[in-house]
Amino acid sequence: MVSALKNCDVVISGGGVPGLCLAALLADIGLDIVVLDPHLPTRIKDIRPDGRTAALMAGSVNILRAAGAWELCEPHGSALNTLRIIESASARADFRADDIGLPYFGINMQNNLQRAALYEVILKKKNITFLCPAMLKDFTTDDVGVSVTINENGKEQILRTRLLVGADGRNSAVRAQAGIEVRDHDYGQMAITCIINHSKPHDNISTEFHRPGGPFTIVPLPGNQSSIVWVEYTADADAFLKLRRDDFERALQDRTENLVGRIEMVTPPEAWPLKSLHAKSLIAPRLALIAEAAHVLHPLGAQGLNLSLRDAATLAEEIADAARSGLDIGSHATLHRYEFRRRADIQTRLMGTDGLNRMVSNNIGLLRTLRSIGLKTIDAIEPLRRFAMNEGVVPGYDDSRLSRGENL
Amino acid sequence: MNAKSTTVDPDEISHFAKDSAHWWDEHGPFAPIHRMNPTRVGYLKATICAHFDKNVKDLKALKGLSILDAGCGGGVVCEPMARLGAHIMGIDADQVAINAATEHAERSGLKIAYVCGTTETLKEQFDVVLALEIVEHVADVEAFVQSCVDRCKPGGLIIFSTLNKTWKSMALAKITAEYIVRWVPPGTHDWKKFMKPSTLAASLRRAGATPFEAMGLVFNPLKNEFLLSTNDLDVNYFIAATKDQNKEKSKK
């Protein structure tokens, strides 16, 4: 059964953090938005510890603040003031945020928290319709709009809109149906994550051990709690995941080199394969891809979610500018500007994290030596340190006004 | 089309009419218009909002205002104005363009009054009269400017845009755009009809309006977009004027 046509300005397929963020930003300027997602977000009061965390850089904090969600997130995040890289017992380097005039490198918190906070925001907005459980079935595009057929709770209905946004993740149905090809790569690595309590304070230091299988990182959370991001070759990761709880805890204890004292697991370990992916185009007629529908990055360097939020912010800016001039928000002119502004940022982040991973995830003697020398050099030469830090946290290709803290 | 009209140049109409069905193709013969449209429409909205004290960030900022778009073509300016809440009339001597405009607005769900004809035949007056990229195509400039000013309410706003008569506009707008990068079909512009801002301003003054601003529209090849410029009026430019209050009274 197909119910009557519903009209709106933008349909966003995918109600994850980037999709909800885009919806909240666009609703504020007065556009009618429909968001679809198969899974209901958790309410903020029901949030439980979860191993999936992300460090939000200052620009991302500004974007979430503009979306009205930051005040709800802030109490649950921990600032990362120092990044400590440990290559070996003799080669380590500390990078301090205040050395480059920043209050912090990032604020670490659970991903489901940002989604929950954004959900609270959008529930209060009359011009956002959140359809759930709902999925995109197909769509047809013509020169003045898109007709999107969705399945909401077993019932089919057609939405008529000016622009369809694919924020539906790495297996994006929007991307597939638009025929946009992807280039992907499997790193043969897994990321194991969990939350731990520890007896010693973390002092807001994010510690990254470089090991042959991949980086092992302790990322601070509020109190004596941290999240673990442990990258390992797939076969080794499988073996670790089969360990009994106390054996796994011991393995963690061993890897943290007692830096944060005695460890106790708060959440069981979860793991997923590491892949990189990038869509060959961010746009098609009346269609834009954002976030993981457009790019998936190696977690090294914590760039993924930050990059995704910059997509949402930039697209919101282009749509806002077009709408305020009365222009067609789904026109090629509008979408082309979005793609034009995002291309360099996405390319450099993809290549950067990929290269970084190839550099650090190996046990080649020469590279290990070069890494040690490199780390000592970067650590010793002040301008180089500043450059390395600035590149990581203040992306040169980000020109989003929202991420600078300005208004939409 | 009014064959006796003083402002319509039949050669100009036939030149545009052969492409008029493609007005809304962003990659077609009117691609440069689409490319400059975001900046152009942004300027129009900002200027209209400033004149009538409206909030420029409001999506319906032009609500309550009546606007005439003289030489509206396929409606690429009428549609944005309608979305912003204005009561808009688009007039053009090219029937094919009016048909394309009417059909596109209808499918987009926008209410726009399209008329095939010339400004001299209209009786009503509007808060705003727009004459964009049109004065360089009319047969009698003085008569056309006068008819635009006559269609504006006293104290209302008149905005013209056209191409300057400089060597730079000859090189860029005529030779480069038509023959080298082929943005527009050859023969789109007759450089002899281009006007200096001072000439256009003088025509407006004679017709009973007071020009208060000239603004350049400059293509930036690095950013691949048009930008507004207060000091470079060498190629494309706008002139904004207010309709004089007393002129109307003295006529009556």
Side-chain angles (χ1 to χ4, degrees), chain A residues 23-191:
Chain A
L25 290 169
L26 292 179
D28 275 348
I29 68 157
L31 294 173
D32 283 322
I33 315 293
V34 173
V35 185
L36 2 151
D37 199 276
H39 307 291
L40 211 58
T42 316
R43 297 303 296 262
I44 214 149
K45 59 179 171 34
D46 300 324
I47 290 279
R48 300 278 170 270
D50 185 278
R52 293 196 179 203
T53 63
L56 297 166
M57 294 164 191
S60 300
V61 169
N62 285 336
I63 293 165
L64 287 171
R65 187 178 283 129
W70 182 244
E71 283 64 32
L72 292 168
C73 297
E74 199 171 13
H76 307 276
S78 172
L80 314 180
N81 297 335
T82 302
L83 301 183
R84 175 170 291 163
I85 294 177
I86 300 180
E87 180 65 36
S88 65
S90 65
R92 56 192 273 171
D94 276 5
F95 300 95
R96 290 160 50 89
D98 55 16
D99 284 351
I100 51 169
L102 292 176
Y104 54 78
F105 284 113
I107 294 184
N108 190 45
M109 68 176 63
Q110 293 181 198
N111 289 357
N112 60 1
L113 211 116
Q114 297 143 27
R115 188 173 185 232
L118 284 161
Y119 186 50
E120 301 294 332
V121 170
I122 67 158
L123 284 177
K124 293 198 188 92
K125 306 228 186 258
K126 286 197 190 95
N127 47 346
I128 300 181
T129 310
F130 188 76
L131 301 177
C132 187
M135 278 175 78
L136 175 121
K137 195 165 167 265
D138 53 46
F139 58 87
T140 52
T141 307
D142 53 69
D143 65 334
V144 293
V146 196
S147 299
V148 184
T149 308
I150 63 156
N151 187 317
E152 189 205 359
N153 226 348
K155 272 195 305 192
E156 261 182 31
Q157 58 170 309
I158 296 173
L159 308 172
R160 181 72 185 166
T161 186
R162 292 197 272 158
L163 173 65
L164 172 63
V165 177
D168 48 351
R170 56 184 71 192
N171 299 316
S172 172
V174 173
R175 185 186 68 216
Q177 293 204 26
I180 297 174
E181 289 175 37
V182 295
R183 199 170 294 144
D184 55 358
H185 173 70
D186 192 327
Y187 289 101
Q189 291 168 310
M190 304 269 277

